[in-house]
């Protein structure tokens, strides 16, 4: 499936009838099984329904970092993002892409 950012935000965990999605580098993962982390009130709820690439790379929970932009990231931060991507791939199914 393809999602625009406006469509992806609908999967942020606020509607219990919908799954919870988080995107990394444009790939959308179904993180519903991690609802305690990504659902409302969870430690990573700010990532739900969004592409959290920059925030994950920078190990940041700041709203301004919850963006797909990789501009200006260091090599180390890109490595951190790659590690997160591998963790997500091992744990959650890919359900689409952000377009």
């Amino acid at each position: 499936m393809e999602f625009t950012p406006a469509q992806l935000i609908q999967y942020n965990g606020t509607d219990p009838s919908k799954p919870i999605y988080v995107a990394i580098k444009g790939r959308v993962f179904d993180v519903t099984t991690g609802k305690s982390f990504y659902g409302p009130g969870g430690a990573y709820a700010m990532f739900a329904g969004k592409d959290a690439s920059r925030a994950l790379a920078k190990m940041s929970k700041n709203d301004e970092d919850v963006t797909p932009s990789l501009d200006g990231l260091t090599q180390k931060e890109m490595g951190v993002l790659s590690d997160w991507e591998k963790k997500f791939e091992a744990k959650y199914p890919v359900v689409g892409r952000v377009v």
Side-chain angles (χ1 to χ4, degrees), residues 46-57:
M46 72 288 301
F47 300 158
K50 299 176 184 160
D51 188 316
S53 297
R54 184 176 199 80
L56 290 168

Side-chain angles (χ1 to χ4, degrees), residues 10 14-15 17 21 23-26 31 34 36-37 44 52-53 65 67 69 72 74 80 83:
Q10 296 172 35
T14 56
D15 181 344
S17 70
Y21 294 162
I24 299 177
K25 289 165 53 178
V31 299
S36 62
F37 298 107
Y44 302 107
S53 297
D65 290 326
T67 168
S69 173
T74 66
V80 169
D83 290 345

